[in-house]
């Protein structure tokens, strides 16, 4: 039986809000010398939303075409910045990934980010060997529930669980038809009675209870 654990990225595996805010601030200044103040708190407030939703929120005073142009320029600069600087891994991340793969679980990432963002995370922090596959909003142009189902199907998983930190993650997993574990490590709360972890090193035990208890 092939068992998979799918992860959200931001707030679940790492916190890149500081680096994203810096890169967007720099990008906007280079793009059109725009004085738009992008803070870490602003980035944290939109983490988990699709890239187009983020543009509509942060650049709401601009017309549609300008919002999209700003978004894609900022995303390109963000990927380049993260490739050089990385982000803040959550405590115990690599040890947890190593333990999970040692227990026979197959690991995946499904995020609402642009193409290149997951790749930059894996490349800078040298974590690619722990993950079998990943998918993003930028890769398919589809919502997270679609991408969760896609990863489950194309990797022929018999059983799977999604681990995320927000209500949106929970709703996406539910819509995709797979169970959810709330990582209380990140940016949101989940208004549902679901299994949860307070920190990543608790995940191997939670995964064992989930897969063995069902």
């Amino acid at each position: 039986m092939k068992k998979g654990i799918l992860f959200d990225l931001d707030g679940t595996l790492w916190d890149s809000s500081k680096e994203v805010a810096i890169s967007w601030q720099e990008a906007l200044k280079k793009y059109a010398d725009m004085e738009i103040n992008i803070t870490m708190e602003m980035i944290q407030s939109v983490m988990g939303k699709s890239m187009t939703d983020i543009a509509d929120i942060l650049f709401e005073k601009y017309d549609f075409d300008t919002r999209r142009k700003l978004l894609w320029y900022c995303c390109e600069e963000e990927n380049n910045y993260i490739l050089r600087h990385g982000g803040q891994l959550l405590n115990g991340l690599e040890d947890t990934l190593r333990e999970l793969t040692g227990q026979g679980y197959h690991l995946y990432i499904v995020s609402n980010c642009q193409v290149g963002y997951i790749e930059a995370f894996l490349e800078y922090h040298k974590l690619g060997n722990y993950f079998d596959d990943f998918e993003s909003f930028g890769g398919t142009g589809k919502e997270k529930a679609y991408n969760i189902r896609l990863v489950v199907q194309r990797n022929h998983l018999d059983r799977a669980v999604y681990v995320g930190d927000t209500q949106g993650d929970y709703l996406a997993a539910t819509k995709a038809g797979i169970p959810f574990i709330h990582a209380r490590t990140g940016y949101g709360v989940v208004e549902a009675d679901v299994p949860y972890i307070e920190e990543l090193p608790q995940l191997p035990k939670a995964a064992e209870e989930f897969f063995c208890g069902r």
Side-chain angles (χ1 to χ4, degrees):
M1 178 179 289
K2 189 174 182 180
K3 297 177 288 188
I5 300 176
L6 287 68
F7 292 91
D8 169 56
L9 181 49
D10 294 312
T12 302
L13 299 179
W14 76 342
D15 180 1
S16 67
S17 55
K18 176 182 176 181
E19 289 73 22
V20 172
I22 291 171
S23 67
W24 280 45
Q25 194 82 52
E26 292 181 355
L28 292 168
K29 191 167 183 61
K30 287 193 291 185
Y31 181 79
D33 198 25
M34 289 181 163
E35 294 298 329
I36 303 175
N37 187 35
I38 303 292
T39 67
M40 183 173 70
E41 291 74 22
M42 291 169 65
I43 295 297
Q44 289 176 347
S45 73
V46 296
M47 284 290 191
K49 299 183 183 298
S50 71
M51 299 310 300
T52 51
D53 286 343
I54 290 173
D56 291 339
I57 293 168
L58 297 184
F59 306 136
E60 62 178 345
K61 68 179 181 179
Y62 298 99
D63 61 61
F64 179 86
D65 288 342
T66 300
R67 292 199 301 270
R68 293 300 179 268
K69 289 176 182 178
L70 291 174
L71 169 67
W72 299 124
Y73 186 77
C74 285
C75 286
E76 182 177 355
E77 292 297 305
E78 174 188 318
N79 288 345
N80 292 333
Y81 189 90
I82 287 175
L83 271 172
R84 300 193 306 272
H85 300 280
Q88 181 64 49
L89 300 181
L90 294 193
N91 290 335
L93 174 59
E94 187 163 9
D95 288 342
T96 298
L97 298 177
R98 187 181 299 112
E99 187 171 351
L100 290 170
T101 54
Q103 292 174 341
Y105 301 116
H106 296 265
L107 308 183
Y108 310 88
I109 298 173
V110 178
S111 172
N112 272 337
C113 61
Q114 72 273 18
V115 169
Y117 183 77
I118 299 174
E119 294 90 328
F121 161 75
L122 296 174
E123 173 63 25
Y124 183 87
H125 293 288
K126 308 303 179 189
L127 297 172
N129 59 309
Y130 294 107
F131 295 94
D132 291 5
D133 192 9
F134 57 83
E135 193 53 85
S136 65
F137 173 81
T140 65
K142 302 288 188 179
E143 63 179 358
K144 184 172 280 188
Y146 174 93
N147 291 328
I148 290 173
R149 286 194 299 268
L150 179 64
V151 168
V152 169
Q153 291 167 3
R154 75 184 178 201
N155 288 281
H156 308 290
L157 298 179
D158 298 301
R159 295 183 61 195
V161 63
Y162 189 70
V163 182
D165 66 309
T166 69
Q167 181 76 7
D169 292 332
Y170 163 71
L171 294 174
T174 300
K175 187 174 182 179
I178 73 167
F180 180 76
I181 295 175
H182 181 205
R184 295 182 176 178
T185 53
Y187 305 119
V189 297
V190 171
E191 297 178 1
D193 184 15
V194 294
Y196 66 87
I197 57 173
E198 300 282 0
E199 54 186 4
L200 280 176
Q202 296 173 351
L203 185 56
K205 181 180 178 182
E208 182 179 7
E209 292 174 350
F210 168 77
F211 286 109
C212 294
R214 289 171 59 89

